[in-house]
Amino acid sequence: MSEVSVVLVGCGAPLKSMGWYHATQILHEGSDIAARLDFIVEPWFMSEAGKSSPGSAEFAEFQKTLEATRGIKFFSRVEDVPPVEDGVKRLAIISARECDIFSSQENMPSIEDITIALLMVYIEKYTGTSDNPSLFASCLKIGCHAIFLEKPGAPSVSELESMRDDAKKSGVSVFMGFNKNVSKFVTKSRSYANTHPNTKVTFLHNNNYDESPESLGECFERNSEGMLKNMAIHELALSVTYYGVTVNNISSVEADKEYSSCKTLTGPSSGKSFTDFTKLKFTIKTKDDYEVSIAADRCGGDDSVGIVSNAEGKELVRFTMPDEEDADTIKNSEERIAGAMPYFYVQDPDYGTLKRRVARAIAEGGVAEGVATIDVAVETLKVAEYLTPILMEQLK
């Protein structure tokens, strides 16, 4: 199978950034990803202001090493990337750079929250929210056959819809970085439920924040788009992908009031009040007779769980991420790349699966099984915006 040529947009700081992590995983020979990293675009560290910022020295060393040993070319703008050569299939990976918003790894949020928060900070601080569609459009103009876009893709439904429409006009496929769509715990949960009639599935997402108002207030402030557009957006994407959930076909949604909690807390940086969920569990039923439950707990731990219950609500089995099967992969990643953010190692198996499926689909012209498309992302954001006021009202 031929390799896909990759343009990485947004590398960020080594050991800290999601973009750097994407590059490192592609370059690792043992990853079995049919992709070749040819170009890296880094608008921040290659700008005059960014060259003296924290992390710039590490990035400069990373750039020097890859230029010398791999022949990878670096640019500060997407527009400067050379046109794609005849016969070459090009994939752009649009990611986020790491910003200095975490001073330590204590109570470090999950990769999902960081990815979303950093995307928003990156867009607003270094390009401007209105420039995100133009960044996407620039990738369309350099001959990309496909784009891999980190979730949620854009701050609003309208922006993401515009990006989707532009991609379709250009004949470009857009895949989303919803890594849980290809997680084993999701596959196992769905498979068990499908082979056991009259069962129900709950997807639980835990984070490891301290329960103090200070810790949660900081969380609310940094993730001000709200739990459903941030932490729980992964589970909503699962509901859209595998259970056919859309705004138009939701017949009912019911919050678990005993489990859930909604609070108004003060953000430490701005002093402003933010209202959001600290815990939330709800069940969606569709007009097509599908049913799925979603739970998220900001202070529940550091795992994700698929729980299958019988019709009476008794738990039959649960599957977790990470699991014992991932132990060797995670250990090897830790030994190969020492000092990176801990969540990179935990997510390594799933992100490897995402990129392998995307690269294969581009190279062979097939379907990237289970990988969310931008259509899924649009519908997921719509569902998040639709459900938030409904669930908040139910919890009053």
Side-chain angles (χ1 to χ4, degrees):
M1 181 172 61
S2 60
E3 289 185 321
V4 173
S5 174
V6 175
V7 180
L8 175 65
V9 181
C11 177
L15 301 178
K16 295 181 179 180
S17 165
M18 192 68 202
W20 166 86
Y21 168 73
H22 281 309
T24 302
Q25 192 174 56
I26 293 171
L27 292 170
H28 176 48
E29 293 181 358
S31 66
D32 194 30
I33 300 170
R36 181 184 67 252
L37 182 58
D38 290 329
F39 307 102
I40 292 179
V41 178
E42 175 46 48
W44 173 242
F45 284 130
M46 295 183 71
S47 70
E48 287 304 314
K51 288 178 181 178
S52 59
S53 66
S56 58
E58 291 81 359
F59 170 79
E61 183 62 29
F62 182 68
Q63 176 183 355
K64 181 180 178 182
T65 299
L66 292 192
E67 287 176 334
T69 63
R70 302 278 190 156
I72 296 173
K73 295 180 173 60
F74 284 71
F75 302 93
S76 61
R77 304 189 317 147
V78 175
E79 292 84 352
D80 295 332
V81 175
V84 65
E85 298 178 0
D86 291 340
V88 174
K89 293 187 177 181
R90 173 176 284 179
L91 166 67
I93 298 178
I94 302 178
S95 190
R97 67 171 291 274
E98 178 73 20
C99 304
D100 301 309
I101 58 176
F102 301 112
S103 59
S104 73
Q105 293 184 4
E106 296 180 7
N107 295 320
M108 182 66 70
S110 70
I111 188 172
E112 296 89 359
D113 294 327
I114 289 175
T115 300
I116 293 171
L118 293 181
L119 180 59
M120 300 307 177
V121 174
Y122 176 83
I123 291 169
E124 293 187 2
K125 187 173 182 180
Y126 305 122
T127 63
T129 299
S130 61
D131 290 335
N132 191 35
S134 66
L135 179 65
F136 187 87
S138 294
C139 289
L140 297 177
K141 293 176 181 177
I142 60 170
C144 291
H145 294 77
I147 295 174
F148 181 97
L149 186 62
E150 278 297 349
K151 66 277 180 188
S156 68
V157 169
S158 60
E159 287 172 292
L160 199 57
E161 285 180 322
S162 177
M163 293 159 66
R164 176 200 60 192
D165 295 344
D166 289 343
K168 287 184 176 180
K169 290 176 183 176
S170 300
V172 174
S173 301
V174 183
F175 303 97
M176 302 299 301
F178 286 113
N179 57 297
K180 288 183 181 178
N181 270 42
V182 299
S183 293
K184 292 196 301 294
F185 87 96
V186 172
T187 301
K188 291 178 179 179
S189 300
R190 294 178 55 243
S191 177
Y192 187 95
N194 289 339
T195 55
H196 291 76
N198 300 317
T199 54
K200 303 176 182 179
V201 178
T202 299
F203 293 113
L204 168 63
H205 182 170
N206 288 315
N207 275 174
N208 198 25
Y209 289 94
D210 185 82
E211 291 192 54
S212 68
E214 293 77 15
S215 176
L216 289 171
E218 186 276 334
C219 172
F220 284 13
E221 180 180 50
R222 179 165 40 82
N223 304 301
S224 60
E225 62 270 28
M227 177 183 275
L228 291 186
K229 292 180 72 173
N230 183 293
M231 178 182 177
I233 197 167
H234 300 269
E235 287 67 33
L236 287 179
L238 293 175
S239 74
V240 171
T241 303
Y242 296 117
Y243 297 88
V245 173
T246 67
V247 170
N248 292 331
N249 80 345
I250 293 176
S251 62
S252 68
V253 58
E254 183 176 354
D256 184 332
K257 296 181 180 180
E258 184 176 348
Y259 180 97
S260 304
S261 173
C262 184
K263 296 182 179 180
T264 299
L265 299 171
T266 301
S269 297
S270 64
K272 296 180 180 179
S273 294
F274 296 88
T275 300
D276 201 359
F277 307 102
T278 58
K279 295 175 63 178
L280 179 63
K281 183 178 181 181
F282 57 95
T283 298
I284 298 174
K285 294 182 179 180
T286 73
K287 297 174 184 177
D288 301 322
D289 293 327
Y290 283 104
E291 179 177 330
V292 62
S293 295
I294 292 172
D297 186 349
R298 295 195 185 275
C299 308
D302 57 4
D303 59 358
S304 293
V305 188
I307 303 168
V308 184
S309 306
N310 63 18
E312 290 72 39
K314 180 182 179 181
E315 180 177 324
L316 301 177
V317 66
R318 64 170 53 202
F319 303 97
T320 63
M321 180 188 77
D323 61 16
E324 294 180 359
E325 295 177 5
D326 295 328
D328 288 341
T329 301
I330 293 171
K331 181 180 179 181
N332 291 338
S333 296
E334 290 174 336
E335 293 175 349
R336 180 169 50 88
I337 310 172
M341 291 295 189
Y343 47 82
F344 288 153
Y345 308 129
V346 174
Q347 300 287 345
D348 187 76
D350 291 341
Y351 268 99
T353 298
L354 273 180
K355 287 196 277 289
R356 279 190 290 274
R357 293 185 184 181
V358 167
R360 180 178 292 275
I362 297 169
E364 299 181 350
V367 176
E369 181 185 357
V371 180
T373 65
I374 195 169
D375 289 309
V376 170
V378 168
E379 195 59 50
T380 299
L381 272 180
K382 287 182 179 179
V383 172
E385 292 184 354
Y386 173 75
L387 291 182
T388 296
I390 293 174
L391 293 169
M392 283 189 170
E393 182 65 27
Q394 290 184 10
L395 296 179
K396 285 184 178 179

